[in-house]
Amino acid sequence: MDLVDPANPPSRKAPLVWAIGAAIPWLVLAVGQVVWFVLDSRLAWLHVVAAAVTAVGMVVFVVVVPLWRYRVHRWDISPQAVYTRSGWLVQERRIAPVSRVQTVDTYRGPLDRLFGLANVTVTTASSAGAVRIVALDSAVADRVVGQLTDIAAIGAEDAT
């Protein structure tokens, strides 16, 4: 069996959702730094350093990381397996045989629901844990769940 890289990307909305999710803690940190400066404006150099570190962190985690993740994250389903590739700094490739699929679940967090996205979790009989297909359009996620359920049901008929 030739292994090919998974071809399907997440939804085009994924980088925006990931950016917003990353921006929230950075904005809380920035507000905390402003409050700190208002309450104690001594040591101006320390405030400048903290603001610079926060600004760099925001650019990296709100702009660069979501775009990089979008370029790396891929998924695919065949009658034999579920394939995923994920990560941004450390990349991981997972292949889960359909014959080992135990459950297929969807997860929609608040931002996912707001943007019409869903995540699919395929739980297998593996010590490596579940395979996650992230940031799919809700209709695509529903189709994936149906497809995996159908494939697993056909495989269950052959099981002993």
Side-chain angles (χ1 to χ4, degrees):
M1 172 171 71
D2 288 332
L3 295 178
V4 296
D5 273 341
N8 301 309
S11 169
R12 291 191 181 273
K13 296 179 264 184
L16 176 61
V17 172
W18 293 333
I20 292 170
I24 293 168
W26 286 102
L27 290 173
V28 169
L29 179 62
V31 167
Q33 289 176 343
V34 168
V35 169
W36 174 42
F37 180 73
V38 168
L39 294 177
D40 182 10
S41 59
R42 299 171 296 160
L43 300 173
W45 67 270
L46 189 56
H47 291 286
V48 170
V49 169
V53 168
T54 299
V56 169
M58 284 183 90
V59 168
V60 169
F61 287 95
V62 175
V63 177
V64 176
V65 170
L67 294 174
W68 183 258
R69 281 181 69 188
Y70 184 78
R71 290 181 53 89
V72 172
H73 277 66
R74 294 290 181 267
W75 64 275
D76 224 331
I77 298 171
S78 76
Q80 294 80 29
V82 178
Y83 306 88
T84 61
R85 187 180 69 200
S86 62
W88 61 278
L89 187 58
V90 175
Q91 295 180 11
E92 177 183 52
R93 182 175 169 168
R94 299 282 310 272
I95 302 168
V98 170
S99 62
R100 310 262 309 189
V101 171
Q102 293 179 330
T103 62
V104 181
D105 303 304
T106 57
Y107 170 80
R108 293 172 172 96
L111 283 176
D112 298 322
R113 287 193 310 271
L114 183 65
F115 287 93
L117 299 180
N119 305 288
V120 175
T121 302
V122 181
T123 306
T124 64
S126 167
S127 62
V131 174
R132 290 178 179 80
I133 305 171
V134 298
L136 300 177
D137 288 313
S138 290
V140 173
D142 292 341
R143 205 166 47 245
V144 164
V145 168
Q147 182 181 0
L148 283 171
T149 303
D150 290 345
I151 292 170
I154 291 169
E157 292 173 2
D158 296 336
T160 54

